[in-house]
Structures are given as structure tokens and as C-alpha cells.
Amino acid sequence: MRSFSERSTVGRKLSGRFVAGMTVEDALSACEAVNREGIAVSLDSLGESVAVESQARASAEIYHRLLDAIQAKGFNANVSAKLTQMGMDFDPALAERIMGEIMAHAAAANSFVRVDMEGSELTEPTLAMVERLHAQADMQGRVGAVLQSYLYRTEADTERCLGQGIRIRLCKGAYKEGPTVAFPEKTDVDANYLKLAKRMVASPVFCGMATHDEAIITEICRFVGEQGIAKSAFEFQMLYGVRRDLQRRLAAEGFGVRVYIPFGTEWYPYFMRRLAERPANVLFLAKNFFRN
Ligand code: FDA
């Protein structure tokens, strides 16, 4: 199904709702359009779990091209990357070298690299790697972590990252996890999100609140107003194509908003996660597909 969909014209047309296109140029056009609305961007070259060094190097090359283009075009953008794209599954030392090179490039281009968080078996190695990269001379503020509110361990990880000044993106979590590591009930995931979000926005570390949950966003806005926290002390982050109305409204209200723009031929796993978290999207896509 995956390889058929990724190659088919119909599959590519459907994916266009959540994926900015197949090429670097497509992603840069989407970035420019989003920036024009006063919204920042994080570019993500889609792809997970490579198996050999040449594939990991090819994934990294796309990030180097993106960083050059962001700098040359003066975009308000950074990049998000997954460690499994850089060889984490078969050679973690290679993944760390590659991520270090991307981070050094980002520093030279005055940009930033967010290391996306994947399944819970990778939480500890990913955080430990971000800590080592962040501790390198002159790299503070050039690399950030992602924490997932569905994991029990995330409250402790929040303190661990904030204590070192590591920028956090807080999301709910998109992978299938068991009850030994993650809250099985959505209400607990949401409550943990809000608790940790309040901790992060009140901290001196600039963090990203990645959610489309309007009730949570409204409560964060109320909390920062009540506490006198500057709107510039944090940002909201949302996915390309999801709740564009809310993205624009928050930007108009003076909050920082960043849109995560994924692109590339390997869009299938990302696209399926978006459909799975909101089955109504299947109907939505089908209606629009036949309307166009
Ligand atoms: P929730 O799923 O509770 O949805 C709340 C409301 O938002 C829904 O009722 C609906 O209105 C809207 N909504 C949510 N998803 C939608 C969709 N696909 N289409 C349309 N409407 C939708 N995860 C991870 O494990 N590792 C990571 O590194 C990242 N990175 C990341 C970056 C950014 C910028 C975002 C916004 C999200 C991530 N995620 C992620 C994904 C995250 O963990 C989560 O799966 C999704 O954001 C959906 O959760 P919500 O917080 O939006 O809430």
C-alpha cells in the first residue's frame, strides 16, 4: 500500500492537504507563502528509518540544502529532523555525527534544528544525544528536543531539559505506546499537556506549544495573560494544513506561531498518522478530492 500510494498520482493529490509537495522547491514555496502571513516555519524532509549510511547521508544532504536556502532567501524558518533518518537504527554514532554537522550548519546560518521525537524506545537515546549536542561549545540554542505528554516520564524530562536550557517542543505524542509507558486515557494526556505547558511558558527557556487543541490553547493564553508572561516568551506550533484558521487568529493576536511543513516522496507514514488521529479527515479529504 505504501509504495503504491507514494508513487500514484491519486495518492500524491490526496497527501497534498498535509504535505507541501515532493521537492525542496515545493517546500520552499510553501514556506514563503506561510511566512507572508507572519507565521514562522519548521521544514521537515519526510522519511523514517534508513538502513545504510548512503541513505542517511542523502537525507542529511536535503537538510543542508534547506539551511542554505533558508539563509539565502531570508526566510523565518528552521528545520525538524528525525534521528532514524540519519541512521539511528543501525549506527547511533553515525546519526550523532550527521546531526552534529546539520546543527553546525544551522548555527553558521543563524538557524536551529529540532530533533523530532519518535517511539518510546528512542526517547532516552534521543534526549541524551540532544544533551550532548547542546553541550558543545557555541551550540546552545541551536538544537532542541521534543517531549510527548502521553509518556509518564515527560514531567521529569521537562525538568531535565529546562535545567540545561534546552528548548522543548511539547506535543501529545503520535506513536502507538502501551500502558506501561504512556497514559492510556486521553483526558490524562491532555491534563499532563496543560500542566507541562504552563511549566514551560513560565520558564526562561523558549519553548514551542505544539497542539491544535483549542481548549488547551485558550487556557494557555489565559494563563500567560494572568501571569503577565510575555507573548514572545514562547510560541504555538501547528501542522501544515491543520487548523489554519486558528494559526492565523493566534498570529493576529500577537502570539508567535510556527507551522511544521513536511514534504518529500516518503509521505505515507506521516500522512497515515494524521488520518489516524482524526478519522474525520478521511471524509474531508474524500469530499475535497471529488470536488476538485
Ligand atoms: P488532539 O489530537 O487532541 O486534537 C485536538 C483537536 O485538534 C482536534 O479535535 C481537531 O480539531 C484538531 N486536530 C488534531 N489533529 C488533526 C488533524 N490531523 N487534522 C485536522 N484536525 C486535527 N508527535 C510526535 O510524537 N513527535 C513529534 O516530534 C511531533 N512533532 C509535532 C510537531 C508539531 C508542530 C505538531 C503540531 C505536532 C507534532 N506531533 C509530534 C504530533 C502530535 O504528537 C499529535 O499527534 C498531533 O499534534 C495531534 O494532537 P493535538 O495536540 O493537535 O490534539
Side-chain angles (χ1 to χ4, degrees):
M1 267 305 280
R2 176 177 174 179
S3 65
F4 169 76
S5 306
E6 284 179 350
R7 288 194 186 97
S8 79
T9 318
V10 172
R12 287 177 176 214
K13 191 173 172 195
L14 278 176
S15 69
R17 180 69 172 81
F18 299 116
V19 176
M22 301 297 135
T23 66
V24 166
E25 288 66 35
D26 292 336
L28 295 173
S29 304
C31 177
E32 189 168 21
V34 170
N35 272 182
R36 233 182 281 123
E37 299 194 59
I39 295 177
V41 163
S42 194
L43 290 168
D44 169 36
S45 168
L46 291 171
E48 298 172 44
S49 292
V50 300
V52 291
E53 177 165 354
S54 59
Q55 288 176 325
R57 293 268 168 213
S59 308
E61 191 43 42
I62 299 176
Y63 281 96
H64 290 294
R65 280 180 63 196
L66 288 173
L67 287 165
D68 283 338
I70 289 169
Q71 188 178 30
K73 292 174 184 287
F75 287 159
N76 181 3
N78 61 32
V79 294
S80 293
K82 289 186 174 46
L83 287 180
T84 55
Q85 267 178 294
M86 309 302 165
M88 188 69 170
D89 288 334
F90 65 94
D91 187 350
L94 171 71
E96 186 158 351
R97 275 199 305 282
I98 290 179
M99 205 48 106
E101 289 161 11
I102 295 174
M103 186 184 69
H105 190 163
N110 198 26
S111 190
F112 171 83
V113 184
R114 178 77 61 181
V115 182
D116 284 342
M117 190 57 85
E118 301 176 71
S120 60
E121 71 290 352
L122 285 174
T123 306
E124 185 53 39
T126 301
L127 280 182
M129 195 183 294
V130 169
E131 286 174 332
R132 287 192 296 275
L133 292 169
H134 180 264
Q136 288 181 17
D138 302 327
M139 290 304 160
Q140 287 71 34
R142 298 300 177 191
V143 63
V146 177
L147 297 181
Q148 299 151 320
S149 74
Y150 62 17
L151 295 183
Y152 302 132
R153 58 174 289 162
T154 293
E155 185 165 6
D157 289 338
T158 298
E159 297 309 324
R160 176 175 163 184
C161 289
L162 292 180
Q164 297 170 79
I166 295 175
R167 285 162 61 172
I168 303 167
R169 171 200 293 154
L170 180 65
C171 65
K172 290 187 187 175
Y175 295 81
K176 194 162 173 47
E177 303 290 358
T180 53
V181 295
F183 294 104
E185 299 298 329
K186 188 171 186 309
T187 47
D188 293 326
V189 177
D190 292 353
N192 199 36
Y193 190 102
L194 196 51
K195 176 180 173 187
L196 299 178
K198 288 180 177 175
R199 172 74 183 98
M200 289 179 199
V201 297
S203 84
V205 182
F206 186 88
C207 291
M209 303 299 111
T211 183
H212 316 93
D213 189 322
E214 203 165 346
I216 287 182
I217 290 171
T218 303
E219 177 55 18
I220 293 173
C221 294
R222 191 203 60 75
F223 176 75
V224 299
E226 176 195 88
Q227 300 292 314
I229 295 166
K231 288 178 177 171
S232 58
F234 68 98
E235 67 185 10
F236 288 109
Q237 300 186 351
M238 294 188 213
L239 301 177
Y240 181 74
V242 179
R243 292 302 311 264
R244 283 179 285 205
D245 56 330
L246 191 52
Q247 296 171 13
R248 290 180 186 134
R249 197 180 83 209
L250 288 166
E253 286 172 9
F255 289 101
V257 180
R258 185 176 301 276
V259 168
Y260 180 99
I261 299 188
F263 71 97
T265 50
E266 292 183 52
W267 49 265
Y268 189 81
Y270 175 86
F271 180 72
M272 293 314 278
R273 283 201 292 275
R274 301 292 77 83
L275 293 190
E277 67 203 3
R278 190 164 178 266
N281 279 336
V282 177
L283 194 63
F284 172 85
L285 286 174
K287 272 191 203 150
N288 282 283
F289 184 76
F290 291 113
R291 197 173 293 149
N292 290 336

